[in-house]
Amino acid sequence: MKDYHFSATLPQDARNIIEKILKEYLSLKTETISVYKAHGKFAAKDYLSLNTSPPTDVAAMDGYAINAEQTFNTTDANPAIIENFKVVQTGESIEGFDAVVPFEEAQVENGRIKIFQSYYPRQNVRSKGEDVQKEQLLIKKGDLLTIFDKVYLKAGGYLEVEVYKMPKVAFLPTGEELVDIVEKEGQLVEFNSVIFNDLLQRYGFEVGIFKPVENNLKKLTEKIKELLQEFDIVFVNAGSSKGDKDLTVEAISALGEVLVHGIAIKPGKPTIIGKVENKLVIGLPGFPVSMFFVLREIFLRPFFKTYNLNPKEKSIFATLERRLSSDIGSEEYVRVSIKNIDGKNVAKVLKRGASVISSLKRADGYVTVPINVDLIEEGSLIEVKLI
Amino acid sequence: MKDYHFSATLPQDARNIIEKILKEYLSLKTETISVYKAHGKFAAKDYLSLNTSPPTDVAAMDGYAINAEQTFNTTDANPAIIENFKVVQTGESIEGFDAVVPFEEAQVENGRIKIFQSYYPRQNVRSKGEDVQKEQLLIKKGDLLTIFDKVYLKAGGYLEVEVYKMPKVAFLPTGEELVDIVEKEGQLVEFNSVIFNDLLQRYGFEVGIFKPVENNLKKLTEKIKELLQEFDIVFVNAGSSKGDKDLTVEAISALGEVLVHGIAIKPGKPTIIGKVENKLVIGLPGFPVSMFFVLREIFLRPFFKTYNLNPKEKSIFATLERRLSSDIGSEEYVRVSIKNIDGKNVAKVLKRGASVISSLKRADGYVTVPINVDLIEEGSLIEVKLI
């Protein structure tokens, strides 16, 4: 029988190892694409506005451009009669005037307008540069482009944007019990690839999903070798713990080097970081929840750091509903749902089993309990990273 | 001069008109696609699980399957020696046993295992059907499919899913001052199409974006007619208010019927709903913020209702930072940002101008102030729809 005890690498050490390999061996190419298609891509350079928008002071609605001074002290009982005005459409320059009276707030009489209230200078006026100033920084290099970033880019004068081309990543499930459709006893549906695919595609990675390879060292080794021809990073799932059938470590050792086997995180401990021909080969744990957290916290975090990418992840603060205990010696990711109680965000801890996909579906986010913390008291204010 | 006063249709009446036309003239087709590609699509039927997962009680980790009873009252000082056990890998059936001892918590001695703590029945065991029960409702007809819905579909036995094929929608900007790149004075960048494109593509609409057509009634009319050959719904932007150059109403009248001109909402009042050859033609206001709210609140809401679609929009409750006044007679959409103050969600009202795209970029969500409400007091708990 094997020795099933293994010491775990500190999570920050594991991240540093990934960062080091990426920095040394994998540089990101860039590509230029239409602004319309830039959603979820990372900008590859700073973008400064080429335009000022609006280009001058303009009417904020259809109406009459006037000088506001002529209306001061105007009331219903004491209307102002104005001769010097200009009919303006929304967006038109109000040059020579300083306010706009909407059509419906004025009466026309003999080519003059009669109004019944005071206007202040700049009322119903959009100021030059209100949206965008020329030379203003629209987008920082490395920013994940959201819908409104795209609007700014186009308003600022860009039709195309240079973005990072994300690496090609392969997902290789292992185990002959894994199938797409269950046809006989003992088979299980392979569904981790769905999570992998969505999580990495969200950030623009080019994802390849492969059919499960059986638990055979030679076949696994050959398949990894084959995938490394085409892909920048290969992920193997699972076979990463220390069971008798867990061949991933042996396959990586045969091809290259195992740098990490086991990380002090929970869930997600049985994770492998290997290097083959200067490329990362990562063994992911089999449970979907574990895999999810390893991808987010152990792979993506150093990945973003390596290339100075800002994925704009959101987190909120919430009050912990009940005390939360955690093992010393593991960085723990605890799924929570957020409820609103009397205007307060209250975080409720969900079932912690690594195997249960329903707990991810119900989770709004998760709390990271540091490695040296064993208890967070009820009522503590905690940071919840949104999923 | 024209009459610039116009009465506004109640927002609910406008929604009802859209719903009526869609119900009568536009039915949604369906298509069958890979589960992997189903993100952001609406399911076209109920899906019940074909599988039970796990199919039986299985090990939740690699270790020794045992009967827990044999460990009751076991301590460090009083270890249990167990002969009747089975080595199990994660996910393997534990038939004949009821708990799993992780490898690292046992010592092997002469083919027996020695353990130093008590285990309870079902410890480290995943129960049959914990993830999915056969016949369990996985997805409801009309649900927007999220990442975890897709995982459930695959775990439940589906590789493909029947989803609604969303309509083809055209976006036609108007005005010769609109350009892609500003080259001379008086030109403005057309950027509303970026917002339109993203908002409708998010729900799977097939979006066509067209070059701006100049302010010429004949050309506008011809272009709308041409687009109606290919698209299910045509959106014209802007030319929907009552300025001298606003030709959209005239163009729709020439081709069909204007049903609504002006809606009692703020921002977004200058909106047109027309019908041409049994298809909707909608005139959207020119300001990006107005357009955004008209699309969400006047077009998409009745659209989803017509076809019983559940877009799973999120909202949170927050405390209003300052009193909020609003016009009686308009349903108002007020952008807010959410801050966390002492564990409370506090909603801060942002700049209300309809023209300012930066206010959408900064907004976390918006509050709908009903048509008959003129004031919400400071400290009120309000619902914020997340953007």
Side-chain angles (χ1 to χ4, degrees):
Chain A
M1 253 180 226
K2 291 192 186 181
D3 170 20
Y4 295 110
H5 300 256
F6 61 113
S7 64
T9 302
L10 292 176
Q12 195 47 50
D13 292 345
R15 291 183 192 109
N16 291 345
I17 287 166
I18 288 178
E19 202 180 326
K20 190 164 173 289
I21 297 173
L22 291 173
K23 270 218 174 87
E24 201 160 351
Y25 301 112
L26 182 61
S27 57
L28 296 189
K29 294 194 177 60
T30 66
E31 58 185 336
T32 298
I33 60 174
S34 158
V35 163
Y36 287 98
K37 299 198 168 157
H39 200 71
K41 305 275 186 178
F42 293 94
K45 57 179 205 182
D46 286 345
Y47 279 89
L48 305 183
S49 181
L50 303 172
N51 299 328
T52 294
S53 172
T56 178
D57 292 346
V58 297
M61 46 183 66
D62 298 345
Y64 308 100
I66 59 158
N67 283 311
E69 202 178 12
Q70 292 189 270
T71 71
F72 294 171
N73 303 318
T74 296
T75 61
D76 258 348
N78 179 30
I81 311 289
I82 295 180
E83 290 185 7
N84 182 29
F85 67 90
K86 185 180 124 186
V87 173
V88 283
Q89 312 299 327
T90 305
E92 263 184 359
S93 168
I94 57 154
E95 211 184 331
F97 300 95
D98 67 4
V100 174
V101 178
F103 287 134
E104 56 268 35
E105 292 176 10
Q107 273 178 22
V108 185
E109 277 184 9
N110 308 321
R112 299 179 303 180
I113 56 169
K114 196 169 171 183
I115 61 175
F116 304 89
Q117 64 184 83
S118 301
Y119 288 81
Y120 53 85
R122 314 204 69 72
Q123 193 166 352
N124 301 322
V125 168
R126 297 187 59 210
S127 300
K128 178 179 176 178
E130 188 179 80
D131 267 347
V132 186
Q133 298 272 4
K134 194 164 178 169
E135 301 292 329
Q136 176 189 330
L137 182 67
L138 299 171
I139 302 295
K140 268 167 95 166
K141 183 176 173 174
D143 272 2
L144 187 72
L145 297 169
T146 64
I147 162 168
F148 296 112
D149 291 329
K150 290 163 56 181
V151 173
Y152 266 96
L153 275 174
K154 189 152 192 225
Y158 297 96
L159 289 176
E160 293 186 320
V161 54
E162 192 181 334
V163 296
Y164 286 112
K165 219 174 149 162
M166 298 293 270
K168 291 179 78 167
V169 294
F171 184 82
L172 179 65
T174 65
E176 51 269 40
E177 72 281 14
L178 296 179
V179 292
D180 270 342
I181 298 286
V182 171
E183 281 166 345
K184 56 184 188 197
E185 214 178 309
Q187 293 183 324
L188 293 168
V189 174
E190 188 292 297
F191 54 72
N192 279 359
S193 56
V194 182
I195 298 175
F196 181 90
N197 183 65
D198 269 38
L199 194 56
L200 295 199
Q201 274 198 352
R202 184 185 304 171
Y203 297 112
F205 285 85
E206 213 176 307
V207 178
I209 302 290
F210 293 85
K211 291 257 163 246
V213 63
E214 57 185 279
N215 280 326
N216 171 304
L217 182 59
K218 186 156 172 286
K219 287 191 181 164
L220 179 61
T221 309
E222 274 169 13
K223 189 67 190 176
I224 292 173
K225 201 173 168 187
E226 180 197 321
L227 293 177
L228 282 166
Q229 305 302 307
E230 195 193 337
F231 290 87
D232 299 306
I233 306 170
V234 173
F235 292 85
V236 181
N237 184 232
S240 63
S241 74
K242 298 233 168 174
D244 285 331
K245 289 191 194 152
D246 294 332
L247 304 169
T248 308
V249 156
E250 290 181 52
I252 297 173
S253 299
L255 292 165
E257 194 184 350
V258 171
L259 303 167
V260 169
H261 189 193
I263 302 177
I265 56 174
K266 196 177 172 182
K269 187 181 176 192
T271 295
I272 301 162
I273 301 172
K275 194 177 85 170
V276 179
E277 294 161 11
N278 300 332
K279 287 182 176 179
L280 275 173
V281 179
I282 295 181
L284 296 170
F287 285 132
V289 180
S290 312
M291 188 191 80
F292 178 85
F293 285 114
V294 169
L295 286 172
R296 268 189 82 126
E297 289 290 331
I298 301 299
F299 172 67
L300 285 173
R301 269 181 61 187
F303 184 91
F304 294 144
K305 186 155 171 264
T306 302
Y307 305 105
N308 293 310
L309 305 179
N310 170 20
K312 298 182 180 170
E313 285 171 323
K314 282 194 180 172
S315 63
I316 60 167
F317 283 86
T319 306
L320 194 58
E321 188 188 38
R322 298 230 181 93
R323 71 189 334 218
L324 169 58
S325 63
S326 171
D327 290 348
I328 286 270
S330 284
E331 180 173 295
E332 188 168 1
Y333 314 116
V334 179
R335 282 146 279 160
V336 298
S337 66
I338 304 288
K339 292 183 299 185
N340 187 285
I341 297 177
D342 299 334
K344 267 196 173 181
N345 291 319
V346 175
K348 182 187 161 71
V349 171
L350 295 170
K351 206 168 164 182
R352 284 155 94 169
S355 58
V356 186
I357 52 178
S358 56
S359 72
L360 271 181
K361 188 174 152 79
R362 273 196 299 271
D364 294 307
Y366 64 96
V367 178
T368 301
V369 185
I371 202 160
N372 57 345
V373 169
D374 65 348
L375 187 73
I376 305 179
E377 288 293 352
E378 178 185 329
S380 301
L381 200 60
I382 49 170
E383 187 179 4
V384 177
K385 289 192 199 174
L386 300 182
I387 288 182
Chain B
M1 257 180 222
K2 290 191 185 181
D3 171 19
Y4 294 109
H5 299 256
F6 61 112
S7 64
T9 302
L10 292 176
Q12 195 46 51
D13 291 345
R15 291 184 193 109
N16 291 345
I17 287 167
I18 288 177
E19 203 180 328
K20 191 163 174 289
I21 296 173
L22 291 172
K23 271 218 173 89
E24 201 159 353
Y25 301 111
L26 182 62
S27 57
L28 296 189
K29 293 193 177 60
T30 67
E31 57 186 336
T32 299
I33 60 174
S34 158
V35 163
Y36 287 97
K37 300 198 168 158
H39 200 71
K41 306 274 185 178
F42 293 94
K45 58 179 203 180
D46 286 347
Y47 279 89
L48 305 183
S49 181
L50 302 172
N51 298 329
T52 294
S53 172
T56 179
D57 293 345
V58 298
M61 45 183 65
D62 297 346
Y64 308 101
I66 60 159
N67 283 312
E69 201 178 12
Q70 292 189 267
T71 71
F72 294 170
N73 302 317
T74 296
T75 61
D76 258 347
N78 179 32
I81 312 289
I82 295 179
E83 290 184 8
N84 182 29
F85 66 88
K86 185 181 125 188
V87 172
V88 284
Q89 312 299 327
T90 305
E92 263 184 358
S93 170
I94 56 155
E95 210 183 328
F97 301 95
D98 65 5
V100 174
V101 178
F103 287 133
E104 56 268 35
E105 292 176 8
Q107 274 178 20
V108 185
E109 276 183 10
N110 308 319
R112 298 179 304 180
I113 55 170
K114 196 172 173 182
I115 60 175
F116 305 89
Q117 64 184 82
S118 302
Y119 288 81
Y120 52 85
R122 315 203 70 71
Q123 194 166 352
N124 301 323
V125 169
R126 297 187 58 210
S127 301
K128 178 179 175 179
E130 188 179 79
D131 267 347
V132 185
Q133 298 274 3
K134 194 166 179 168
E135 300 293 326
Q136 176 190 331
L137 182 66
L138 299 170
I139 301 294
K140 269 167 92 166
K141 182 176 173 175
D143 272 1
L144 187 73
L145 297 170
T146 63
I147 163 168
F148 296 110
D149 291 329
K150 290 164 57 181
V151 173
Y152 266 96
L153 275 174
K154 189 150 192 226
Y158 298 95
L159 289 176
E160 293 187 319
V161 52
E162 192 182 333
V163 297
Y164 287 112
K165 221 175 146 159
M166 298 293 270
K168 292 179 75 169
V169 293
F171 184 81
L172 180 64
T174 66
E176 50 268 43
E177 71 280 15
L178 296 180
V179 291
D180 269 344
I181 299 285
V182 171
E183 282 167 344
K184 57 184 189 196
E185 214 177 308
Q187 293 182 328
L188 293 168
V189 174
E190 188 291 298
F191 55 72
N192 279 359
S193 56
V194 182
I195 299 175
F196 181 90
N197 182 66
D198 269 38
L199 194 56
L200 295 199
Q201 274 197 353
R202 184 186 302 174
Y203 297 111
F205 284 86
E206 212 177 308
V207 178
I209 302 291
F210 293 85
K211 291 257 164 246
V213 63
E214 58 185 277
N215 280 325
N216 170 304
L217 182 58
K218 187 157 171 288
K219 287 190 179 164
L220 178 61
T221 310
E222 274 169 13
K223 189 68 189 173
I224 292 175
K225 203 175 165 184
E226 180 196 321
L227 294 177
L228 282 166
Q229 306 301 307
E230 194 193 338
F231 291 87
D232 298 306
I233 306 171
V234 173
F235 291 85
V236 181
N237 184 231
S240 63
S241 73
K242 298 235 167 173
D244 284 331
K245 289 190 194 154
D246 294 332
L247 303 170
T248 308
V249 156
E250 290 180 52
I252 298 174
S253 299
L255 292 165
E257 194 183 350
V258 171
L259 302 167
V260 169
H261 187 192
I263 302 178
I265 56 174
K266 194 176 171 182
K269 187 180 177 192
T271 295
I272 302 162
I273 302 172
K275 194 177 84 169
V276 179
E277 294 162 12
N278 300 332
K279 287 182 175 178
L280 274 173
V281 179
I282 294 180
L284 295 169
F287 284 134
V289 181
S290 312
M291 190 191 78
F292 178 86
F293 285 113
V294 169
L295 285 171
R296 266 188 86 126
E297 289 290 330
I298 301 299
F299 172 67
L300 286 173
R301 271 182 60 187
F303 184 91
F304 294 144
K305 187 155 171 263
T306 302
Y307 305 105
N308 293 309
L309 305 179
N310 171 18
K312 298 181 179 170
E313 285 172 321
K314 282 195 179 170
S315 62
I316 61 167
F317 283 86
T319 305
L320 194 59
E321 189 188 38
R322 297 228 182 96
R323 73 190 331 219
L324 169 58
S325 62
S326 170
D327 290 348
I328 286 271
S330 284
E331 181 173 297
E332 187 168 1
Y333 314 115
V334 180
R335 281 146 281 159
V336 298
S337 66
I338 303 287
K339 292 184 298 186
N340 187 287
I341 298 176
D342 300 333
K344 268 196 172 182
N345 292 318
V346 176
K348 182 186 160 74
V349 171
L350 296 170
K351 205 168 166 184
R352 285 155 93 167
S355 57
V356 185
I357 53 180
S358 56
S359 71
L360 271 181
K361 187 173 153 80
R362 273 196 300 272
D364 294 306
Y366 64 95
V367 179
T368 301
V369 184
I371 201 161
N372 57 345
V373 169
D374 64 348
L375 187 74
I376 305 179
E377 287 293 353
E378 178 185 330
S380 300
L381 200 61
I382 49 169
E383 186 178 4
V384 177
K385 289 192 198 174
L386 300 181
I387 287 182

